[in-house]
């Protein structure tokens, strides 16, 4: 049974940094697709950044140059490093994974099968 557990969320002031982690249980190996998504109050869930399983990454325009996604295969952990945080980054952040990778590097939540419970990020001005 695949299980994803996010951590690292919290409250920071505008301009601050946070690093989110997502530990994957029940699966080992590499080459699978993983991503970070977020849902702000009253808004649709949106893709933030994704890793395509073959060394490539993608990110939303709204976070380019501020957020970076990385993966430690030995630890089965996905990371999202966030810098220069803005109040509009406030949201629940979710980790997602799919071992079949229907669309590599996808920022669409339809392309991911497994989801974590989320970790809250709050940025104050």
């Amino acid at each position: 049974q695949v299980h994803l557990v996010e951590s690292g969320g919290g409250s920071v002031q505008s301009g601050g940094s946070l690093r989110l982690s997502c530990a994957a249980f029940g699966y080992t190996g590499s080459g699978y697709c993983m991503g970070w998504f977020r849902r702000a109050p009253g808004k649709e869930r949106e893709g933030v950044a994704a890793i395509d399983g073959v060394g490539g990454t993608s990110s939303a325009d709204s976070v380019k140059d501020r957020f970076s996604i990385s993966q430690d295969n030995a630890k089965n952990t996905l990371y999202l490093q966030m810098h220069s945080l803005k109040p509009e980054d406030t949201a629940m952040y979710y980790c997602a994974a799919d071992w079949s990778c229907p669309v590599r590097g996808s920022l669409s939540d339809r392309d991911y099968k497994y989801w974590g419970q989320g970790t809250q990020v709050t940025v104050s001005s």
Side-chain angles (χ1 to χ4, degrees), residues 35-68:
W36 287 99
F37 291 77
R38 66 185 181 187
R39 176 176 281 156
K43 294 188 176 181
E44 297 284 323
R45 185 164 57 188
E46 64 172 347
V48 176
I51 199 160
D52 68 7
V54 291
T57 63
S58 57
S59 59
D61 288 342
S62 59
V63 305
K64 280 187 189 300
D65 301 324
R66 298 190 300 122
F67 293 8
S68 62

Side-chain angles (χ1 to χ4, degrees), residues 13-35:
Q13 291 192 325
S14 182
S17 298
L18 282 174
R19 188 177 80 156
L20 305 183
S21 299
C22 171
F25 300 93
Y27 183 86
T28 58
S30 61
Y32 46 86
C33 293
M34 296 188 77

Side-chain angles (χ1 to χ4, degrees), residues 55-107:
T57 63
S58 57
S59 59
D61 288 342
S62 59
V63 305
K64 280 187 189 300
D65 301 324
R66 298 190 300 122
F67 293 8
S68 62
I69 188 171
S70 61
Q71 187 176 40
D72 185 334
N73 289 330
K75 295 181 180 180
N76 272 5
T77 301
L78 182 74
Y79 301 100
L80 183 68
Q81 180 67 57
M82 305 184 293
H83 296 297
S84 302
L85 283 160
K86 305 175 181 180
E88 51 263 44
D89 294 318
T90 294
M92 183 70 79
Y93 283 72
Y94 299 90
C95 170
D98 196 286
W99 314 137
S100 66
C101 291
V103 180
R104 292 193 179 277
S106 174
L107 294 178

Side-chain angles (χ1 to χ4, degrees), residues 7-13 18-20 82 85 90-91 119-124:
S7 61
S11 297
V12 296
Q13 291 192 325
L18 282 174
R19 188 177 80 156
L20 305 183
M82 305 184 293
L85 283 160
T90 294
T119 185
Q120 177 68 38
V121 172
T122 302
V123 185
S124 58

